[in-house]
Amino acid sequence: MTEVKEPPPGGGATEQPPPGVVVRQAEYGDRLAAVEPGGTEFIPYDQRHGTPLKLLWTWTSPNLEFATIFLGVLAVAAFGLTFWQAAAAAALGTGLGAVTHGILSARGPGHGVGQMVLGRIAFGYRGNALPAGLNTVAGGVGWFAVNSVSATFALATLTGLPKPLCLAGVVLVQVAIGFFGHNLVHTVERYAFPVLAVVFAVGAVVILGKANFSAPASGEGGGLGGFLIATAASFGYAAGWNPYAADYTRYLPPATSRRATGLYAGLGIFAGCTLLQIVGSASVTIGGDALGDPTGTFTGHMPSLLGNLTLLAITLGAICANAINIYSGAMSFVTLGIRLPVALQRGVAALAFGAIGLVVAYFGLDDAGHDYEAFLLVIAYWIGPWLGVVLTDQWLRRGTEPSDALLFDKGYRNLAGPIAMLAGVVLSVWLFSNQQKYVGPVPANWASFGDVTALVGFAVAAAGYAVLLRILPPNHGGNMAGGRKIM
């Protein structure tokens, strides 16, 4: 067991990471008017800055948007729940996703690398391409398109301008923020937070004041099956941020409290998601065409001035969400090891995914509601098994961490990770999927199962990884597998 020297409290500039770690050489610090250099490299101790508190608004702001509200709308209007059932599903699903987000975020300061780079521990250097590739598509293209459509509807409703023109303007702003990188993303979230919080808080008071909390369920489905589908969708929405977690904590000094880091990150997810989903569910009980014209119906319940301000807030919230989506989508892409100009590899990837996301969003302007419902469930289908592997690996290694050099060892293999994750995805989707594109045999015959695909996938992958790790122990390549004690 090789002991790795710990950095001094706060991360001293003279302390060096262990041999074999790829360290970012370019200066960045806390500058805003600079493009963040590099991509997957270890962040040097003298470049670390910030406190865990900033994670509260970093993760609350991107969830104060209409995509979150519409998830609450779906719970009542599409999944057939009453308001109180929908509120419970929102709290349960979001709570699970927020807890896992906090656990993953807490690892960033100690390792100084992004979430998908940390994933190499459980998946191996090459095997990590499975989750990194999925997250590249889900974040850099899928979520980016979903939120761009949300912002486009709001801006078009407010201004009366053509949707394609609104979409182009929104995408341009989002890509610019993601291109400049980490510091600008955090700053945008910080200054958007009070604006979004005030506007949505006032809007929530108006909507909740008009809501009929005792209204009967109106949509198809309902019952336990509908509740489980709504819970799974809420989990998919919250856990959709999980593969990004350490991307936004890796710049914190290594002595930063792990507990505070996880708490503020998880609280940001839970507060923003749960509140607006509840407001969305309440808005359906007032009346109107919640599925046919979701944005217009929601703001139509408000006085005209507040409705217009809410449309602006919806646009701003979607921009906040996509600044993170395109940034972390690009981070996942460079984790794949594809060669790009070293100095700007993350920035170049952000520009590319912005262009791809623009095209996907344009074709998603029609029938957005059904596409969104299916997308939320599919996101949970792969994130559940991925979490099963990552969290099981973390549990088995509790008290110690492997050498950080292992994260950059191209010869390091851990076949247990990708095999267990694939098994979790295939088995759970085949048997339990319950969404528009495919219904598995279990919910097809027993509707009360709803959609427990993510839960089953998590369990299968977690158990599979624990067993396979004994049968297929990791090959540590050219670097030592030693670790350091976590205090």
Side-chain angles (χ1 to χ4, degrees):
M1 188 75 79
T2 301
E3 191 71 22
V4 177
K5 187 178 179 183
E6 289 285 1
T14 60
E15 188 67 27
Q16 297 298 317
V21 169
V22 179
V23 182
R24 193 184 67 198
Q25 300 298 318
E27 292 289 328
Y28 182 52
D30 57 359
R31 293 180 298 167
L32 291 180
V35 178
E36 181 187 4
T40 61
E41 304 88 353
F42 176 90
I43 305 301
Y45 298 131
D46 62 349
Q47 298 278 304
R48 306 291 187 91
H49 56 86
T51 64
L53 179 60
K54 70 179 181 180
L55 299 171
L56 181 60
W57 48 74
T58 295
W59 290 115
T60 302
S61 294
N63 290 302
L64 298 179
E65 55 149 345
F66 194 73
T68 317
I69 294 170
F70 191 58
L71 183 53
V73 170
L74 286 173
V76 175
F79 303 148
L81 301 183
T82 66
F83 168 79
W84 294 110
Q85 291 170 336
L92 177 58
T94 301
L96 292 173
V99 168
T100 54
H101 192 76
I103 293 171
L104 296 172
S105 296
R107 303 187 74 193
H111 289 281
V113 295
Q115 188 61 54
M116 282 296 140
V117 178
L118 274 174
R120 291 171 178 168
I121 298 173
F123 288 88
Y125 191 93
R126 304 296 181 188
N128 192 54
L130 172 62
L134 287 169
N135 196 48
T136 296
V137 175
V141 179
W143 274 119
F144 184 83
V146 165
N147 288 304
S148 294
V149 169
S150 173
T152 297
F153 282 153
L155 195 58
T157 301
L158 177 64
T159 63
L161 294 172
K163 289 179 182 177
L165 180 61
C166 293
L167 176 62
V170 165
V171 168
L172 182 63
V173 174
Q174 294 167 163
V175 171
I177 298 170
F179 175 74
F180 276 91
H182 179 274
N183 293 341
L184 184 58
V185 170
H186 273 296
T187 301
V188 168
E189 309 297 347
R190 176 184 179 181
Y191 287 103
F193 175 67
V195 177
L196 293 171
V198 169
V199 173
F200 279 118
V202 175
V205 170
V206 172
I207 295 295
L208 295 174
K210 294 183 177 181
N212 178 10
F213 299 119
S214 61
S218 57
E220 297 181 0
L224 179 60
F227 179 81
L228 291 174
I229 291 177
T231 301
S234 292
F235 171 75
Y237 189 89
W241 301 112
N242 286 184
Y244 307 168
D247 295 355
Y248 301 92
T249 60
R250 73 193 199 281
Y251 276 85
L252 293 173
T256 301
S257 167
R258 291 165 65 96
R259 179 175 296 180
T261 300
L263 177 63
Y264 282 118
L267 184 60
I269 295 288
F270 184 78
C273 291
T274 305
L275 173 63
L276 287 198
Q277 285 179 57
I278 289 174
V279 173
S281 296
S283 70
V284 180
T285 68
I286 303 174
D289 188 8
L291 293 179
D293 181 22
T295 307
T297 300
F298 181 77
T299 56
H301 298 312
M302 304 175 181
S304 58
L305 176 60
L306 179 59
N308 289 337
L309 289 174
T310 301
L311 289 171
L312 283 174
I314 288 170
T315 305
L316 177 60
I319 290 173
C320 288
N322 269 350
I324 286 181
N325 285 320
I326 198 167
Y327 177 83
S328 285
M331 285 285 293
S332 295
F333 179 76
V334 299
T335 304
L336 296 172
I338 297 174
R339 293 183 178 275
L340 292 171
V342 176
L344 294 175
Q345 55 181 315
R346 182 209 50 78
V348 170
L351 292 177
F353 284 112
I356 296 171
L358 172 64
V359 175
V360 174
Y362 176 78
F363 288 104
L365 290 175
D366 296 323
D367 198 25
H370 287 99
D371 290 343
Y372 183 47
E373 174 187 339
F375 178 71
L376 282 171
L377 294 173
V378 169
I379 284 291
Y381 291 172
W382 80 264
I383 288 182
W386 173 76
L387 282 172
V389 171
V390 171
L391 295 181
T392 300
D393 181 84
Q394 189 171 340
W395 171 256
L396 293 175
R397 298 176 187 273
R398 61 191 181 281
T400 62
E401 292 283 3
S403 169
D404 288 331
L406 207 61
L407 300 172
F408 300 93
D409 182 359
K410 294 183 180 180
Y412 170 59
R413 296 192 302 274
N414 188 355
L415 295 178
I419 293 175
M421 179 177 169
L422 280 172
V425 171
V426 172
L427 287 174
S428 62
V429 171
W430 169 47
L431 293 172
F432 292 93
S433 175
N434 189 2
Q435 51 106 1
Q436 188 179 22
K437 304 299 182 183
Y438 171 74
V439 178
V442 175
N445 290 282
W446 298 280
S448 60
F449 270 90
D451 194 317
V452 294
T453 309
L455 180 61
V456 173
F458 178 93
V460 170
Y465 183 75
V467 172
L468 287 170
L469 202 59
R470 295 178 178 273
I471 302 173
L472 301 170
N475 180 328
H476 296 290
N479 282 312
M480 297 183 185
R484 52 191 168 90
K485 191 70 175 177
I486 298 299
M487 303 303 291

